[in-house]
Structure formats: C-alpha cells, structure tokens
Amino acid sequence: MKGTNVLFSFKTTLILLAILAIGAGYATFIENDFDTSSARVLVYNNIWYETILVLTTVNLMGIIYKYKMWRNKARFIFHLSFVVILIGAGVTRYAGYEGIMQIKEGATENRMSSLEPYLQITIKENGNTYYKEYQKEFTTLLKSVNDFAHTILYGDNKKIDVVYKDYILAKKGSAKMGLLTVDVTVDGKTQEIKLPGQRGQRGLKRELFFGDTTVVLSYGSKTLSLPFAIKLNDFQLDRYPGSNSPSSYASEVTVIKDNKEYDYRIFMNRTLHEGNFLFFQSSYFPDETGTVLSVNNDPGKWPTYLGYFLLTLGLVLNLFDKKSRFWKLTKYVSEKNVASLAIACMIAFASTSANAEERVMENEVKAQSTVEYLKKFKEESKVTANKFSKLVTQSQGGRMKPVSTLNREILLKLSGRKSLFGMNADQIVLGMLSRPEMWRDIRLIKVKTPKLKKFIGIDEKRKHIAFSEVFVEGNYILNKEAEKAAITKPQDRGTYEKDIVRLDERLNITFATFNGNLFRIFPKPEDKTNTWHVPLDAMKTFEGQSQRAVELMTRGFINSVIESDWEQANKFIDMIKLYQEKLGKDVMLSDSQVNNEILFNELDIFLKLTLAYIITGLIMLIVAFVVVFNPKIKPRKTTFFFFIVLALLFAAHTFGMGFRWIISGHAPWSDTYESLLYISWSAVFAGVVFFRKSLLALSAAVIVAGIFMFTAHLTGIDPQITNLVPVLKSYWLTIHVSILTASYGFFGLGAILGFMALIMFIFRKNRPHLDETIKSITAINEIALIIGVTFITIGNFLGGVWANESWGRYWGWDPKETWAYVSIVAYVFVIHMRFVKSLNNPFVFSTASLLTFSTILMTYFGVNFYLSGMHSYATGDPVPIPTWVYYVVSIVFVTIALAYKNRNLKDAVTSIDNKKAKK
C-alpha cells in the first residue's frame, strides 16, 4: 500500500515529468554533436527512457483512479487521452515498421528497404543455408553500450560466435557509410570483418570462409516484402516558374493486390493508405525517372487518433468547466480591481533621429559634383519611377512580384533606409540603372564598424560610403579582408568581420543593380518553365523578333531616362508591360495584385506597429508604477483607455497579417519573420480578449508583442515574402502552426507576468497592498499558462496528425518536435506544482513560469539556429549567441535572488478553496 502511495503521488508525477523533459532535451544535443543513432540508442529507444514512459502511464492511471477523476468529465477525458496515446504509440513502436521504396517509371515493385538497421548473418554449408538477423543500432558516444556477443547454432550442433569489436559512423554530409567491425569465430578460428552500412542504408555483403563453411554478413537496411505491389505509371515534377526549386512532385501509381487493381495519385500531403501501410511522396530519382516513397506500417494509428481526439475534446471542455482550476482562477481575477506593474527593457526611437541623419546625408551629397543631377532627377523622375515600379519581376525562387518590392529590398539592403535624399526606393534604383557612373560616387552603402571605416580610409563619423571608395586604381581593396572573413567560422567572427561580410554583399548587390542583373523582367517566348530573364541575358539569348524587341525596349528606356525624356521613357515602360502580359501571361500578376503589394509595402504596418507597441509599453510602464505604489488610485478608466488603444493596434495587426496572407497566397506564419509577427499577434490577442479588464495583463501583452516584433525586424531576419516548399502546402500547416505558435504568446505573457511578480516580491516588505497585486498577477499568469498548455498540446498533436497524413509517421524525434515535447512536459510540470505543498506558492510559480519560457526560446530560436534537423534553419556552424543574452540571463537570476528573501506568500486560489472548505 505504501508503495502504491508513492507511485501514485504527484511528487512522483513531477519527478517523472522532469526526467522525461531533461532526457529528451539532452538527447537533441547528443544528436547534434554526435549523431542521430547515438540519441536513439542512449535515450529515445533505450530501455531506461521507455521505462520512465511506462511508469508515467502507470502513475497517471493510478492518479485517475485515486482521485476518481471520472467525476469530472473534462479532467477525466484529457488525462485518459494521454494513456490512450501512449498505448497507441507503444503499438506503433513495437508492432510497426518503416522503410523506403524506390520505383522506376513503368516498373512494378513489392519490396522495400527497412529504415531500421539489421546485422544479417547467412551461413552456407554442404548445400544448406541458415539465416539469422539482429536489429542493431550503435552509438559513437559510449561505445561500451554497443557491446554484443551472439552465438548461432546450425547444422549438427555446430555454432558460430559473432562478437562486436568497433563501429565508426560516417560523417554528416558524407557519401560514405558507417563501418561495423565484428569478430566471427567458427571451430575455434576467428576472423575479423568490416561491414559498411548504417540506419536507412542498405549494407554491403561480405563473405568469410572457414573450410566448407561460408559466412555472409551485412549491416544496414534489409529487404521487406509487401503483400501487394505498386506500379509507377508516371512521375511528375513541377517547379516554380524560372527556378529549379520544386513546387510539387507526384507519383501516378497503380496498386495491385489479389488480382485487383486501382489507380492513385501520391503527392505531398496526400498519402496512399493500403491496409496498415502508408506511402508518402518522399523524394525522386536525380534524373527524374523514378520516385522514392517512404513506407510506414502502422497498426497503432486508430488508438493514437482516438487519443488525439479525446485530448482535444478534454482540453477544450476544461476551459468551459465551471469546476475547473481555470474557472476558479478567472472568477478570482474578475473580482479584483487589478493594478499593474510592467517591465519594459525597450527604448523608443526618436523620430527626429531619421531627419537628422537625412540632413547629414544631404550634406555629404552636397560635397559632391553630382548634387545638381540629384536635384533635377529628384523632381522629374517621380512619375516614371512610379510606372517603372509597377512592372513585374521574377525572384530567384520563382516568386512573381512588383519591381517596387525589389527596389525596396535593394535600398534596404544597401543603406538600411527606405528612402534617401528625399527620393523613394523606386527613384534611387531607377537612377542606379540609368546612370551608374553617377551613382557609383554617391554615398548610399551602409558601413558600421570604426575599424572597417579606418581600413577604407574614411571619417569614423560617416555612416555610408560610395561604391567607388572601395576601389583604388581598379583594385578592390577589401578583397583579402573579405576572403579572411568569409572563411572564418560564424561564431568566431567579430563585429569587424561581420561588417566586412555585409559590406562585400552590399557591394555585389550594387554592382548587380548597376548592370540590371537583379531585374528578371523579360519572359522568353515558348518557354515551358516560365523563366524570366534579365535584360542583358535576354538580349544575348533571345532570338529573332523577341531579341530585337527586348533590345529596343531596354536601350530605349535607359536612353530616355538619361536624356530626361520622361514621356518617351513612360512609353517604353508601357511597351515592356505589354510584352510581359503577352509572353508571360501564365505567371503574370494582375494590376490589382501589383497594386495590393505596393500598398502593403507603403503601409509598412509591422514596423509601425513595432514602434507603437514599444512606445505604448513604455507609457504603460510609467502608469503602472504610479498605480501600484499608490493603492488608493482606481485605474478603471486608465485600463479601459489602454484597452481601446491595444484593441486598435490589434485590429491593425490583424489587418496586416491578413493582407500579407492575400499577397503571399499562404498563411502568414511560414518562416521566422512571419511566425514572430504571429506570436506578437497572439500575445495581444491574449490581452484584449482574455484579460481586457486587467491593466497588468494588458501591460504584459504589449511588452511581449513589442519584444517579438522588435526581434522580427532585426537585420538578421528576412521579411521577404517567399514561395513555400512542397511539404508546407497543406491546410494542416495552417491549423498546426497557428495553434502551436499562438501558445508562445501566452507563455511569453506568463514569463513577463512572472518577472513582474518577482519585482514586486523585492519591494513587498512594509507594503502589504502589494500582496494582493502579486496574487492577482499569479492568478492571471496561471490562466495564461493553462491556455498556453492547451494550445501547444493540441497544436503539437495536430502536427502529429499532419506528419502522419503527409509522410506516414507521427513522430521522428526531430529536435523541433522534441523541444516542443519538452516545452509541453515542462509547462505541465509548472501547472501541477500546486499539488506539492512546498511548491504551492506565488514565488515558486512566478520563478518557474519565467524560467520555463527558456524551453520555448530553445524550441523557437535554439533549434532554428543551433541544432540541425528538418525544422531547423541552421546550416553548418551556428551563429554566435548575442552578448545581450548573457545580460538578460544575469538580470533574471539577480531578480530571482533578490526576491527570494520575501518569498513567503500563500497561493491565492488555494487560500480561497480552504476558506470555502472551512465554512
């Protein structure tokens, strides 16, 4: 009985959750630093981790019984769902298997290669054949774990011993396979053999001879036969126009089973289901003559799906259950007139600084002989530049966009500005195209570090240089420095090296702009790939009438601009547009699409919102300090005013997200920039929808939004609208990512609220009125975390459904998946700490909610830029951690330490429950 009390206790639950989270998180670093097999062998597939999962399931079942959770439907359903999911996962894990099937066009295949590696041993003696196999995977981290010794009996009481000796894994990106070394002993004679092979690859067979006995060994994937066959009728690959990037690929197949046939089309996000087998369009032959299908045999699918359904149902019902913790907290908060304390580490940028820089730039230009040209060009080019901006161009990735968008991207990249010398980007780029000999001497290329300025030989106060200033007698003075910076690992680059790399890139863009090599504005006649070409290439490669037309339009347009014949220049632009509409009609944008994107660019909603969020947060911070330390003030009107302000900002944010969706053609949370915008949106959504009566929550919401929006507009994050890779063209992406990423806003809100509470703990001595404020903050914090956990859990498991429907498996322990799982476990831990008496207080909860946000940061930033995986943006060496991160971490831990001495304060909702119980 005592043993069951320990096993079925909440302390045990928290311990098991902590082990699961820490183990999985550490495994991602093992995988990144060593290899995937090491992570699987040491953690994911190891008996100790599977034992913890089983104990967690048993613990959960015991708690469900011990506390008779079936009395509360919502709580019972979502707790039971985890048991069902784990059972389904166990069935899939131990009864299912995965593999790869390769089929050439016109061929029929019923075999596949297993994903799991096997040591296969075949013994041949006197015409008899004996076969034995062992599923094996090895680690390069702790090789002692790899040890094995197998004895195989065959023939007339004969035996063969196979003993592990060594395993070397192939390096990442290498075409070579791993190498397993074993000793084989027959009749007392031992021979060593090396077997090339590893997980997911078919091994090479090797033979050993012991007199009349031949032993054939191999290590790697084995061949599995299917109870049916698949014939590939046709493989189809579509690319984005003018690009080598695949837009989609599909396999037209015929399934042949029991003398019956049916046709099916397999493509991204459309999986073939045949019995328990799922076939996903994984890849294709390099020569595009065949298909590569991922295969998954999944007998645990329906138990798992049932668990997912129960999970979603239970979590949603919990938000509407009046007996739930969530409702107790919301009722407690609604009864309080909550004051606020907000913390904002952001500094609003003065609008006058841009004007001051403009004046400095003008003074720099005045020192040059080109000033008269610029004055005249500025006034006369507006109409022509505007018409020029509405032409359509094709990006390297195949996206069709207005020239206006490209012009903005060029100027932002070169100068960090959206206008210069009183001219917009369209005028600047038009000038660079038409008069490069003038613009090469104009200072519009940004440079930062004093050391680089000194190397170039310019005044350290200057912020921009001219293209001509890095060339001396025709020689590029940065050549050697740029080469040194380029070969330096990213984490070893200082600000000087980074500035050189950026400047070298800007100079290349400037040169390409001078030559028109960024403007793919001319479609080629009868080109099935819909590739558009830059003017110089078009004049060289086009033939006949098209070549002559392109040359006439290009030279005529440029000469007209040079001669300031604006009316003639406008006519040539009209000619180019007609040419685009006639020969590029398959991919040409409509006038409304062009105008919408130009309007979206001009509105610049998100940058303006960033400033608005930061300034609003700063003002709310000041108001909050006044209110908190003056308890007599009743800030109802102030709270309502700020609610209206945030509601308007939220409306603008929503409009901007929708506008970007219309322009891009996909949900606006498909890359780093868009997802940061969406997290900011979800934070403000949490404030204005769930916590609109609390000035505290509104303050925290706008601060979270400001931080993420500011991060989105850092120079390292690309805001460009791009095409989607094939696998992301799915409605599952919209559902999965929108729900999952929305949780980050709530968790960010919780982290800020936790930090606010800790600040108040520091000052609560001799200020008893702060205790109620801390309790209210903690209650709102817990509400935010409950909603966040609901969103991230549902979103993550919907991602499992997407993965299974897209490529035939729910979970692959990819670092992004793993850290999302770690985040769920960590926040479940935080929410359930209240069941352990020593952890049930606002100080512990506030500290935990603040520190646990690090799992979200790791999921979002750490995985994206520091760990390798299919969800990751990291390529090779990770980027160095910014210095400010260390300062922020230091501030957090110093704050926790200072708040610790005043930590004794009971949980608000628990206190309320106790009072009711006494009555």
Side-chain angles (χ1 to χ4, degrees):
M1 193 72 179
K2 190 174 181 180
T4 57
N5 287 336
V6 173
L7 180 59
F8 300 151
S9 71
F10 282 106
K11 285 185 178 179
T12 301
T13 304
L14 296 183
I15 292 171
L16 292 172
L17 290 175
I19 295 172
L20 288 174
I22 294 170
Y26 186 64
T28 62
F29 292 98
I30 294 176
E31 179 178 357
N32 188 71
D33 295 339
F34 294 90
D35 52 79
T36 302
S37 292
S38 290
R40 290 166 57 84
V41 170
L42 296 177
V43 182
Y44 303 137
N45 290 351
N46 197 288
I47 187 65
W48 77 265
Y49 199 78
E50 293 178 343
T51 301
I52 297 298
L53 282 170
V54 171
L55 287 176
T56 304
T57 306
V58 174
N59 170 267
L60 182 55
M61 294 172 66
I63 287 177
I64 289 173
Y65 178 79
K66 183 177 180 180
Y67 291 94
K68 297 179 175 57
M69 284 190 183
W70 51 84
R71 294 177 179 176
N72 184 296
K73 291 182 180 178
R75 190 183 308 167
F76 175 68
I77 289 172
F78 75 74
H79 281 91
L80 179 65
S81 70
F82 286 104
V83 177
V84 177
I85 290 170
L86 287 170
I87 291 173
V91 173
T92 298
R93 164 80 172 85
Y94 292 104
Y97 53 88
E98 297 177 72
I100 294 291
M101 175 180 279
Q102 300 184 15
I103 318 174
K104 196 171 183 65
E105 281 187 341
T108 302
E109 186 60 79
N110 71 333
R111 297 170 302 166
M112 72 176 195
S113 297
S114 68
L115 183 62
E116 297 297 334
Y118 290 81
L119 173 61
Q120 300 177 72
I121 304 169
T122 303
I123 305 167
K124 299 178 182 179
E125 184 188 48
N126 300 325
N128 297 317
T129 300
Y130 308 91
Y131 175 79
K132 193 73 174 178
E133 65 182 30
Y134 302 93
Q135 185 177 324
K136 297 286 185 183
E137 195 165 3
F138 303 104
T139 172
T140 55
L141 177 56
L142 297 174
K143 290 196 174 184
S144 58
V145 178
N146 299 333
D147 289 342
F148 67 81
H150 295 298
T151 298
I152 304 170
L153 300 177
Y154 69 97
D156 297 327
N157 294 323
K158 295 181 180 180
K159 69 175 184 177
I160 174 175
D161 294 314
V162 181
V163 180
Y164 169 83
K165 195 168 185 181
D166 190 25
Y167 182 76
I168 301 174
L169 188 77
K171 293 182 179 180
K172 290 183 179 181
S174 171
K176 296 180 180 179
M177 292 189 287
L179 195 65
L180 171 65
T181 304
V182 296
D183 282 341
V184 180
T185 303
V186 177
D187 293 333
K189 297 180 180 179
T190 300
Q191 296 186 45
E192 179 186 281
I193 189 170
K194 298 182 183 297
L195 305 173
Q198 61 188 42
R199 186 173 190 266
Q201 296 184 19
R202 189 183 299 276
L204 300 178
K205 292 183 178 180
R206 295 286 187 263
E207 292 184 338
L208 292 176
F209 299 98
F210 297 87
D212 296 333
T213 302
T214 302
V215 182
V216 183
L217 301 97
S218 67
Y219 176 70
S221 300
K222 71 173 183 177
T223 300
L224 299 173
S225 297
L226 304 180
F228 53 89
I230 294 178
K231 179 181 179 182
L232 178 62
N233 301 313
D234 185 33
F235 176 74
Q236 301 164 359
L237 175 65
D238 295 325
R239 303 184 187 275
Y240 284 110
S243 168
N244 287 324
S245 302
S247 171
S248 66
Y249 34 92
S251 298
E252 296 284 355
V253 302
T254 298
V255 180
I256 306 169
K257 182 179 181 181
D258 299 330
N259 297 321
K260 295 181 180 179
E261 299 181 0
Y262 66 89
D263 296 330
Y264 196 85
R265 179 179 173 83
I266 306 173
F267 56 89
M268 288 293 184
N269 301 304
R270 189 168 189 257
T271 305
L272 167 63
H273 296 252
E274 176 55 49
N276 285 333
F277 290 91
L278 298 94
F279 294 82
F280 158 70
Q281 182 64 63
S282 175
S283 185
Y284 51 89
F285 290 15
D287 59 2
E288 302 176 23
T289 61
T291 188
V292 179
L293 302 175
S294 292
V295 188
N296 186 18
N297 180 280
D298 181 19
K301 173 182 176 179
W302 292 115
T304 304
Y305 276 17
L306 174 62
Y308 289 174
F309 171 76
L310 293 175
L311 172 72
T312 303
L313 178 64
L315 288 173
V316 172
L317 289 176
N318 182 63
L319 298 178
F320 297 95
D321 180 7
K322 293 185 178 181
K323 295 181 180 180
S324 69
R325 172 77 171 179
F326 178 78
W327 270 80
K328 290 178 183 178
L329 289 165
T330 53
K331 184 178 180 181
Y332 171 77
V333 170
S334 65
E335 293 174 350
K336 298 292 178 179
N337 180 20
V338 184
S340 76
L341 174 63
I343 192 71
C345 301
M346 318 298 291
I347 300 175
F349 296 102
S351 61
T352 56
S353 62
N355 295 329
E357 186 177 345
E358 189 74 49
R359 289 192 295 271
V360 172
M361 296 291 289
E362 287 177 0
N363 290 334
E364 290 176 344
V365 172
K366 287 176 183 177
Q368 302 177 51
S369 61
T370 55
V371 65
E372 292 301 325
Y373 158 76
L374 288 178
K375 284 183 178 180
K376 182 180 179 182
F377 185 79
K378 174 182 174 181
E379 297 301 324
E380 296 179 352
S381 65
K382 291 180 181 177
V383 175
T384 300
N386 183 54
K387 286 181 70 69
F388 171 65
S389 72
K390 294 182 179 180
L391 292 175
V392 175
T393 185
Q394 187 180 76
S395 73
Q396 290 294 327
R399 190 176 93 86
M400 309 306 296
K401 59 186 179 183
V403 166
S404 174
T405 298
L406 178 58
N407 293 342
R408 286 170 59 89
E409 292 166 358
I410 290 171
L411 187 57
L412 271 172
K413 193 72 175 179
L414 297 186
S415 67
R417 302 284 301 278
K418 294 174 182 176
S419 62
L420 279 176
F421 321 123
M423 290 183 281
N424 60 30
D426 300 324
Q427 290 176 286
I428 297 289
V429 175
L430 180 61
M432 295 175 68
L433 282 168
S434 58
R435 297 293 299 274
E437 78 282 0
M438 286 286 209
W439 285 87
R440 70 188 305 276
D441 295 322
I442 296 176
R443 300 170 184 173
L444 53 80
I445 302 172
K446 184 168 61 175
V447 61
K448 286 186 176 181
T449 56
K451 184 177 179 181
L452 182 53
K453 293 175 184 178
K454 184 177 180 181
F455 182 86
I456 297 172
I458 63 171
D459 190 335
E460 290 186 5
K461 295 180 181 180
R462 280 174 48 185
K463 297 182 179 180
H464 296 76
I465 64 169
F467 181 81
S468 60
E469 289 184 283
V470 294
F471 293 91
V472 177
E473 297 180 356
N475 295 318
Y476 181 37
I477 63 175
L478 291 178
N479 190 38
K480 291 183 178 180
E481 294 295 301
E483 287 182 3
K484 289 180 184 178
I487 63 175
T488 303
K489 292 183 178 180
Q491 67 265 33
D492 295 332
R493 291 175 187 165
T495 53
Y496 173 66
E497 288 80 12
K498 292 177 185 176
D499 205 16
I500 288 175
V501 171
R502 294 191 190 103
L503 179 58
D504 185 63
E505 181 185 14
R506 291 178 185 128
L507 291 167
N508 282 313
I509 291 172
T510 304
F511 184 73
T513 304
F514 287 157
N515 293 313
N517 286 336
L518 299 177
F519 295 84
R520 299 171 68 180
I521 60 174
F522 289 117
K524 189 174 184 179
E526 300 179 0
D527 184 359
K528 293 182 179 180
T529 65
N530 288 309
T531 303
W532 288 27
H533 298 261
V534 300
L536 290 177
D537 285 347
M539 286 188 282
K540 290 178 181 179
T541 61
F542 287 13
E543 298 176 352
Q545 187 176 354
S546 296
Q547 189 273 337
R548 291 190 293 272
V550 167
E551 186 170 2
L552 172 66
M553 291 184 290
T554 302
R555 297 189 187 282
F557 172 61
I558 295 299
N559 290 334
S560 298
V561 175
I562 293 173
E563 296 169 2
S564 299
D565 188 348
W566 304 109
E567 184 176 348
Q568 190 69 16
N570 294 340
K571 290 180 180 179
F572 280 113
I573 293 175
D574 291 336
M575 292 171 62
I576 295 173
K577 183 179 179 182
L578 286 172
Y579 180 90
Q580 291 183 335
E581 291 174 344
K582 182 178 180 180
L583 296 180
K585 58 184 178 181
D586 291 341
V587 294
M588 181 66 177
L589 299 179
S590 66
D591 289 343
S592 62
Q593 289 175 308
V594 170
N595 292 331
N596 281 340
E597 185 159 344
I598 291 175
L599 175 60
F600 179 78
N601 292 336
E602 290 175 349
L603 289 175
D604 207 3
I605 296 172
F606 299 121
L607 182 60
K608 292 173 182 175
L609 278 173
T610 302
L611 297 175
Y613 284 143
I614 292 172
I615 293 170
T616 303
L618 182 63
I619 294 172
M620 293 179 76
L621 170 65
I622 297 171
V623 173
F625 267 110
V626 173
V627 171
V628 167
F629 291 98
N630 290 274
K632 295 180 180 180
I633 298 176
K634 305 298 181 182
R636 291 183 180 178
K637 292 184 179 180
T638 305
T639 302
F640 181 73
F641 170 77
F642 280 117
F643 165 71
I644 295 298
V645 172
L646 287 188
L648 292 173
L649 293 176
F650 176 71
H653 200 149
T654 304
F655 170 77
M657 297 285 285
F659 205 168
R660 187 175 175 103
W661 192 333
I662 291 171
I663 292 169
S664 65
H666 61 256
W669 43 72
S670 303
D671 56 35
T672 304
Y673 177 78
E674 291 178 344
S675 58
L676 286 170
L677 298 181
Y678 182 66
I679 294 171
S680 303
W681 180 90
S682 66
V684 183
F685 173 81
V688 299
V689 175
F690 292 95
F691 311 121
R692 57 185 180 276
K693 294 182 179 180
S694 168
L695 182 58
L696 162 69
L698 292 176
S699 302
V702 73
I703 290 165
V704 172
I707 291 172
F708 278 98
M709 289 287 279
F710 182 77
T711 304
H713 290 89
L714 294 176
T715 55
I717 297 176
D718 191 354
Q720 290 186 37
I721 297 173
T722 57
N723 289 320
L724 288 180
V725 296
V727 74
L728 297 183
K729 293 182 175 180
S730 168
Y731 61 88
W732 283 110
L733 170 75
T734 304
I735 299 171
H736 158 61
V737 178
S738 62
I739 296 175
L740 185 68
T741 310
S743 70
Y744 296 172
F746 286 92
F747 291 139
L749 180 61
I752 295 296
L753 290 171
F755 190 75
M756 290 178 179
L758 292 173
I759 293 291
M760 289 189 185
F761 269 106
I762 296 174
F763 296 102
R764 68 179 283 254
K765 191 173 183 180
N766 300 323
R767 293 184 178 88
H769 66 277
L770 289 183
D771 289 356
E772 285 301 313
T773 304
I774 291 173
K775 290 178 181 180
S776 299
I777 290 174
T778 305
I780 296 173
N781 191 350
E782 192 171 349
I783 291 171
L785 296 196
I786 290 173
I787 297 174
V789 166
T790 300
F791 279 19
I792 195 174
T793 305
I794 293 175
N796 205 52
F797 285 107
L798 284 176
V801 174
W802 174 33
N804 196 50
E805 294 301 317
S806 294
W807 51 83
R809 64 120 177 107
Y810 316 92
W811 199 264
W813 292 110
D814 176 82
K816 190 81 163 184
E817 297 171 346
T818 303
W819 273 97
Y821 157 74
V822 170
S823 298
I824 293 172
V825 174
Y827 275 102
V828 168
F829 180 99
V830 173
I831 288 175
H832 286 79
M833 287 192 309
R834 61 191 173 88
F835 292 107
V836 177
K837 187 176 181 180
S838 60
L839 302 178
N840 186 23
N841 63 77
F843 172 78
V844 173
F845 186 86
S846 299
T847 302
S849 66
L850 176 58
L851 296 180
T852 307
F853 190 62
S854 62
T855 63
I856 298 298
L857 295 177
M858 183 64 196
T859 303
Y860 191 80
F861 293 106
V863 172
N864 285 355
F865 299 107
Y866 295 93
L867 298 180
S868 59
M870 70 176 182
H871 290 83
S872 174
Y873 307 129
T875 52
D877 299 308
V879 296
I881 298 175
T883 305
W884 61 265
V885 172
Y886 297 103
Y887 292 118
V888 171
V889 171
S890 300
I891 290 171
V892 166
F893 282 101
V894 168
T895 302
I896 294 171
L898 293 174
Y900 180 78
K901 61 180 180 180
N902 297 327
R903 67 188 179 280
N904 294 321
L905 184 64
K906 291 184 178 180
D907 174 72
V909 178
T910 300
S911 300
I912 292 172
D913 291 341
N914 290 340
K915 289 178 183 178
K916 289 181 179 179
K918 289 179 181 178
K919 290 181 180 179

